[in-house]
Amino acid sequence: MMGRTSLPSRRGMGLATLVLLGTTMLCSTGAAFAQNPPASGDASGADDQADTGLEIEDSDVIVVTAQKREENLQDVPIAITALGTEKLDELQITDFDDYARYVPSLSYQSSGPGFSNVYFRGVASGENANHSASLPSVGTYLDEQPITTIQGALDIHIYDIARVEALAGPQGTLYGASSQAGTVRIITNKPDTSSFYGAADVEVNNVAHGGFGYVGEAFVNAPLSDNAALRVVGWYKKDAGYIDNIAGSITFPINQFDANGDLIDLPGDDITFSNADLAEDDYNDVETYGGRAALKIDLDDNWTISPQIMGQKQVAHGSFAQERGLGKLQTMQFNPERSKDRWFQAALTIEGKIGNFDATYAGSYLKRRVDGEVDYVDYAYFYDALAGYAQYFYDNGGNQVNPNQYIQFTDRYTKQSHELRLASPGDKRVRVIGGLFYQRQTHNIEQNYIIDDIADSITVPGTDSDIWFTKQFRVDRDYAIFGELTADLTDKLSVTLGGRGYRFKNSLVGFFGYSDGFSSKTGVAACFAEAKVKGSPCTNLDKTTSDEGFIHRLNATYKFNQDALAYATASRGFRPGGINRRSTFAPYAADFIDNYELGFKTSWLNNRVRFNGAIYQLNWKDIQLSFLGENGLTVIRNAGDARIRGAEADLFIRPTRGFTLSFGAAYNDAESRSDFCLFANDANDCTIDGPGGDTNEVLAPAGTRLPITSRFKGNALARYEFPMGVMKGHFQTGLVHEGSRTADLRLVEREILEDLPSYTTVDLSAGLESRGWTAELYVKNLFDTIGITSKSIQCIEVICGDPGGDTALGGKVYSFVTQPRTIGLRFGTKF
């Protein structure tokens, strides 16, 4: 059972020309958005904090730390999208959904704020999984520390951020297990001892078909002495709702089986109830507030210590999906839905010199708690209508009760990580970086599946009215030693050899299931030990899996000159195995990606033109496929192999001072390379019968397109800045296109869910800046496009999807959509 699954002169360049250019570009913003460092003395210090240290206005150089060294982005032989402080502001980026749009190689599934699964280069299996499934295939870092919890990455509010780096392709040697397909790095602006400065921004916006939203943000940088500084950041954001929970009623037929085993509807026993007390327009509003405080202390000329603490609370109401069969932006839910996501992270970075080597320690402790409620009436209705489940739900007097079902859940996460590394001087012909890594993360799971007023005999012991209860504790441990050696064989040719030796040990212990008064085979009836997890009635799951191995990265880079290079890479990424929550299924093994990539990076005309690209093939082996099995419980198994062939390209042009164009695109042809069978076997042979001689079946033949990722994703951006007396003005237009996608790997389920159609959104903005003040008017999603980002269903697709139309409700499929047209007005000041 499960809850909903759960980016010359300016004269004569007018606005009409700008809009025409921007809105006709079906390409992507470049893999490196340019930044103009502020003039000396600019109070914001924005680009100084972006670690560039550059003062050449037209060079548009971006410095990144993707390889754990400071390097010019154009010198790094990796496909990277980098959004700096200025560009994040210009694009009105405040959260994950905003910057994900501007990364062509990135795709994702989302069921609301804080619940997103991120994918790179088509490495997606389309899982419809609930809690505690496979680890993510994309790692997310805040500065030096990983923030990818077992359920997924934190949804960090983006403000006073130096840059967001999106690294496509396996990054396993330097970033480890959860960077199988790529890595996202959020780099904060650091405390600065040079001067006191700060900024504050306020915003009001209105969402079409919804209400008003508000944002307030501020930061202060304060030197404490010549060798110490403090930076404090705070934010508050209110997102308006736009999904309507419309009024309606539902009738449970209370079907029963007759003497012949046929399901019949007994007259007079139907139960009808409505959601009148929950019907509400714009009910999916979100409130987010949090802060960050960082301290930098220079102990001497060589050693710096940087402690930081960051926390956020996000409360989301309602559902972020429209329901099939209803109107646009409408759903019909019968139980309260909300989530409250609270977390904090304490981090410490120590940097210094040991001899001529740079030494870095990065450690952190993260604690996260998510409480919520989820409507589960679909599961209750369809299993009653199609299988007669409701006849088994009664009170202590033996009377039929309303079989309506809902979930109340609490997920608690902790994560600690420690990395110690050394790096030799970056200006030598032979360079080496290496280190040790340890990580331990936990997931304390509690999910109450509630039917009010059921009899004590069918209530899970220790709960108030749970028909099903999950109480489990998961621990994932990772150990690694890693290193990369780069040698300049000639003045033009460099070779890198990298490797990571790893070991993981993952365990899951606790309880799941029914009471022994309701089921004689599962839940309490299957317990084999007293409770090992506090709050559980007993233990029916206690398993551990572990493994060790080695992954590699090989790279050759040839620099034709300081403005052009080509590279070839062969690298491997992995994702650890784990434990299935249904104990009758074996643990699933690690899966691996072998990446073969050819790329180039070029700069022209004093870096006013940049053109970068890459082609690649990814071989994905032993795919961890998650899907809903019996009782709607997630099952994960290794389901064969896949191949992704693709290409990425980006183009940045500054034709004149003040006018910039950015293009780019990603193409991915992702398909399975072996049959996916109903019953798994080592040979991936669907002619081999399943357990007990059950007939096997091909659920998805070799050559089936992988889900979630479109073949083409692109975006474009045009910006024109111009003087207006003592003020500076700007116009900007951006376009994002997402191609059509499939929703599931399995063919029957794919047909039930239906494909995700392509969509295109257009953004516009205009603003003024004068003497430390800014004002900007923007429109996101100008043409009010309702794009579908992912789909979900509450139980097995052939049940809740009801493809035969055997129930009064038909199928219940939920489509998560892009935010409708949003018009905002923003004011800011720097001091």
Side-chain angles (χ1 to χ4, degrees), residues 42-45 89 157 159-160 196-203 215-221 231-236 768-776 825-831:
D42 187 335
S44 75
D89 289 341
H157 181 76
Y159 181 71
D160 191 40
F196 177 90
Y197 57 86
D201 295 272
V202 294
E203 176 186 320
V215 182
E217 306 161 314
F219 82 87
V220 172
N221 182 89
R231 197 177 190 104
V232 179
V233 187
W235 58 86
Y236 171 82
L768 295 173
E769 180 178 349
S770 176
R771 301 183 184 277
W773 288 88
T774 59
E776 185 170 50
L825 182 61
R826 186 175 184 178
F827 295 95
T829 182
K830 300 174 183 178
F831 54 86

Side-chain angles (χ1 to χ4, degrees), residues 104-267:
S105 58
L106 187 149
S107 57
Y108 67 98
Q109 291 177 291
S110 177
S111 57
F115 297 95
S116 296
N117 294 319
V118 188
Y119 311 102
F120 269 106
R121 289 184 170 176
V123 180
S125 59
E127 58 263 24
N128 190 0
N130 52 11
H131 61 269
S132 208
S134 296
L135 287 173
S137 65
V138 172
T140 304
Y141 277 69
L142 178 63
D143 293 320
E144 295 283 349
Q145 291 81 11
I147 54 169
T148 312
T149 65
I150 289 172
Q151 188 73 14
L154 303 178
D155 189 6
I156 291 178
H157 181 76
I158 303 298
Y159 181 71
D160 191 40
I161 296 298
R163 63 188 177 275
V164 175
E165 299 177 5
L167 286 57
Q171 308 296 325
T173 54
L174 292 182
Y175 293 98
S178 286
S179 292
Q180 178 192 38
T183 301
V184 175
R185 305 180 70 237
I186 301 170
I187 311 299
T188 62
N189 284 321
K190 305 301 188 293
D192 176 13
T193 59
S194 66
S195 63
F196 177 90
Y197 57 86
D201 295 272
V202 294
E203 176 186 320
V204 60
N205 57 66
N206 178 258
V207 180
H209 322 287
F212 283 89
Y214 311 92
V215 182
E217 306 161 314
F219 82 87
V220 172
N221 182 89
L224 304 178
S225 68
D226 291 340
N227 62 344
L230 175 69
R231 197 177 190 104
V232 179
V233 187
W235 58 86
Y236 171 82
K237 182 183 180 185
K238 176 64 180 292
D239 292 313
Y242 49 85
I243 300 290
D244 297 338
N245 189 26
I246 65 173
S249 63
I250 190 170
T251 299
F252 289 91
I254 316 300
N255 293 332
Q256 295 186 18
F257 292 97
D258 62 16
N260 297 320
D262 296 324
L263 195 64
I264 61 172
D265 182 9
L266 299 180

Side-chain angles (χ1 to χ4, degrees), residues 523-591:
V524 173
C527 281
F528 51 78
E530 297 297 320
K532 296 184 179 181
V533 177
K534 184 178 179 180
S536 63
C538 52
T539 299
N540 59 16
L541 173 62
D542 188 357
K543 287 187 176 183
T544 300
T545 186
S546 62
D547 200 1
E548 58 188 32
F550 178 84
I551 58 175
H552 65 273
R553 176 175 179 259
L554 308 175
N555 173 271
T557 302
Y558 188 83
K559 285 195 171 184
F560 299 93
N561 52 52
Q562 65 178 1
D563 294 324
L565 66 81
Y567 66 88
T569 297
S571 58
R572 167 170 281 200
F574 85 105
R575 180 169 50 170
I579 305 298
N580 268 297
R581 293 175 50 230
R582 182 175 290 281
S583 55
T584 53
F585 285 87
Y588 50 94
D591 58 355

